[in-house]
Amino acid sequence: MSLRLATFNIENLLTRFDFTGFRNQTRRDRAMQLFEIRDEATYQALESARLVSSTDDTRQLSALAIADADADILCLQEVDNMAALQAFEYGYLFRMVGNGYRQKYLVEGNDSRGIDVAVIMREETRDGQRIELVDIKSHAALTYRDLHLFNADIAVTNQPDDKIFKRDCLELDLRIGGKPFTLYVVHLKSMTNSRESTDARLGTMAIRHAELKAVRHIIESRFGAGKARDMNFAICGDMNDYQEKVLIDGDRRKGYTFTPVNEDESALNVLSADGFAINPMLRRDVMDRWTLYHSRGPQEQHLCQLDYIWLSPRLASLNPNQVPDIIRNGQPYRTIFPPGQAVEHYPRTGWDRPKASDHCPVVMTLDLE
């Protein structure tokens, strides 16, 4: 009996318009900056038209990427609300794949922009095994004080009674063909808004470190600290951190070089340092583990893995030869691929946009025994 599990940051699956760009140039779309717009009503009309027209292409590409992942259970990040999820699943994904994801779960979390984690599931696996939700629990209300995680590094930007999870840790207790399986879905603190460091990743790492300590606490409290490793669990989502990256040097005219680099510090060490959870992406070549292309111009470019399916040691041992797939066909043309990794882009993919997402879906087939 097998389960196909995926995670995907679908990037701003929203049901609302953001008109703040009229008064705040930094929030105005670059296409709108090309035009002189003198009154707010005109701006709102143009911005609405721009977003609606671009969203149709984007969501067709998102649906293509999800269809290629062909998962039984899909963990999503950056979903506005259940209405957005239902409209996307019915209007785009169902049209693409034919058999829909009838089970949909989303709990409003803590994100200031209103983007949440969500899970959509088929009623049965591809093998015909029933997918059953036994229980679902949000951990968005947990505070630093609750778990004694407040420290000097956290105090730079937070108070003791602030919420630990910047979105949520959504816990789903499932049965797959009668076999127990527990899923944890997260979207950790972004690598932005650092106040004390020129390196935004390092400056925000303490928050992600606390989030993952909380995830681990939740799992160990559920199963027992000495028993958790022997259970069927997976931690899925956008971790907004990495333990390695592939540095890119060069340009289109001269060509590119790619250099893998290990990071000394990472919040992900909370999961991996003592083998509490296993990153099966390490079964792929070091140059071929990336799920996101990062660029701040020619002088700062790299590829890295931000999107993860972490497995319990038991699940990892049950699936020693299973390797995650990465769906990169929805990446924009500006993404720089190492040699031998080029893909056939989906129709209508643009240089920078439209694209399926800035992230790539990650999918893996798991035997639950």
Side-chain angles (χ1 to χ4, degrees):
M1 183 188 67
S2 64
L3 166 71
R4 195 156 169 85
L5 176 66
T7 186
F8 183 32
N9 182 327
I10 199 168
E11 191 183 9
N12 295 327
L13 180 60
L14 304 177
T15 59
R16 52 200 154 90
F17 299 106
D18 181 0
F19 297 127
T20 57
F22 178 72
R23 303 185 185 281
N24 184 349
Q25 288 283 341
T26 63
R27 297 182 63 87
R28 183 176 296 193
D29 183 82
R30 61 178 183 257
M32 298 288 282
Q33 291 179 354
L34 295 172
F35 299 90
E36 183 180 358
I37 305 171
R38 298 186 177 182
D39 64 89
E40 191 164 2
T42 301
Y43 177 84
Q44 291 186 5
L46 291 172
E47 174 61 14
S48 299
R50 180 198 70 79
L51 188 58
V52 168
S53 61
S54 66
T55 294
D56 184 55
D57 279 341
T58 296
R59 293 315 163 201
Q60 289 189 61
L61 298 174
S62 301
L64 275 169
I66 293 172
D68 278 350
D70 194 22
D72 301 315
I73 299 176
L74 174 63
C75 307
L76 292 168
Q77 300 87 50
E78 296 200 13
V79 179
D80 195 359
N81 50 41
M82 184 58 76
L85 188 58
Q86 291 175 330
F88 170 72
E89 192 276 334
Y90 179 75
Y92 290 87
L93 191 54
F94 179 75
R95 290 173 178 266
M96 194 77 64
V97 301
N99 55 335
Y101 289 85
R102 299 289 183 86
Q103 303 186 68
K104 305 178 185 68
Y105 303 100
L106 181 150
V107 178
E108 297 291 334
N110 299 323
D111 187 88
S112 60
R113 292 198 295 134
I115 54 174
D116 300 304
V117 299
V119 177
I120 60 176
M121 309 190 301
R122 302 192 190 280
E123 294 182 312
E124 293 183 344
T125 68
R126 294 186 301 169
D127 295 338
Q129 300 296 323
R130 184 183 177 193
I131 301 175
E132 178 185 5
L133 177 71
V134 178
D135 193 17
I136 184 170
K137 183 183 298 183
S138 166
H139 295 280
L142 282 175
T143 68
Y144 295 111
R145 190 188 301 277
D146 289 336
L147 299 189
H148 309 288
L149 291 175
F150 195 73
N151 57 39
D153 292 331
I154 297 292
V156 173
T157 54
N158 290 269
Q159 300 298 318
D161 292 315
D162 285 347
K163 306 295 192 299
I164 298 171
F165 294 111
K166 298 312 169 189
R167 283 90 181 189
D168 197 357
C169 174
L170 195 61
E171 178 180 1
L172 288 86
D173 186 15
L174 305 170
R175 289 194 177 274
I176 314 297
K179 300 289 185 181
F181 175 64
T182 308
L183 183 60
Y184 299 89
V185 187
V186 298
H187 182 187
L188 302 187
K189 166 66 181 171
S190 63
M191 293 182 280
T192 59
N193 299 326
S194 169
R195 297 182 181 180
E196 297 295 322
S197 175
T198 55
D199 187 323
R201 174 175 167 270
L202 292 178
T204 54
M205 189 177 294
I207 298 174
R208 290 187 297 278
H209 189 273
E211 288 180 300
L212 288 175
K213 291 281 285 186
V215 170
R216 184 161 174 168
H217 170 86
I218 290 166
I219 296 173
E220 291 181 331
S221 296
R222 165 74 188 279
F223 299 115
K227 298 179 180 179
R229 299 165 192 252
D230 298 322
M231 300 298 171
N232 287 342
F233 73 78
I235 308 165
C236 295
D238 176 1
M239 304 291 165
N240 268 317
D241 210 340
Y242 48 85
Q243 295 174 312
E244 59 188 19
K245 61 186 176 184
V246 178
L247 294 176
I248 302 172
D249 192 24
D251 56 39
R252 295 173 64 192
R253 183 170 65 86
K254 297 178 181 178
Y256 297 99
T257 60
F258 301 86
T259 307
V261 175
N262 290 320
E263 296 290 340
D264 294 330
E265 296 184 58
S266 173
L268 301 174
N269 295 344
V270 171
L271 300 179
S272 66
D274 62 349
F276 176 77
I278 307 299
N279 177 17
M281 195 75 85
L282 298 180
R283 298 169 184 174
R284 296 175 67 102
D285 184 80
V286 67
M287 297 287 288
D288 196 22
R289 300 168 183 166
W290 60 274
T291 66
L292 180 131
Y293 165 66
H294 169 84
S295 173
R296 293 185 183 272
Q299 303 306 314
E300 186 181 340
Q301 300 179 93
H302 68 253
L303 302 164
C304 61
Q305 182 189 1
L306 294 189
D307 307 274
Y308 292 78
I309 299 175
W310 290 90
L311 303 179
S312 68
R314 181 179 191 275
L315 266 184
S317 65
L318 284 175
N319 296 271
N321 299 315
Q322 297 286 9
V323 178
D325 293 322
I326 307 170
I327 312 300
R328 296 179 177 137
N329 308 71
Q331 283 287 290
Y333 279 92
R334 73 182 183 93
T335 299
I336 301 170
F337 287 73
Q341 296 183 25
V343 297
E344 180 179 353
H345 289 82
Y346 296 136
R348 298 181 65 84
T349 298
W351 173 252
D352 179 58
R353 61 186 183 185
K355 58 183 181 294
S357 171
D358 49 352
H359 295 250
C360 301
V362 175
V363 60
M364 186 175 187
T365 299
L366 297 171
D367 292 327
L368 300 182
E369 196 176 49

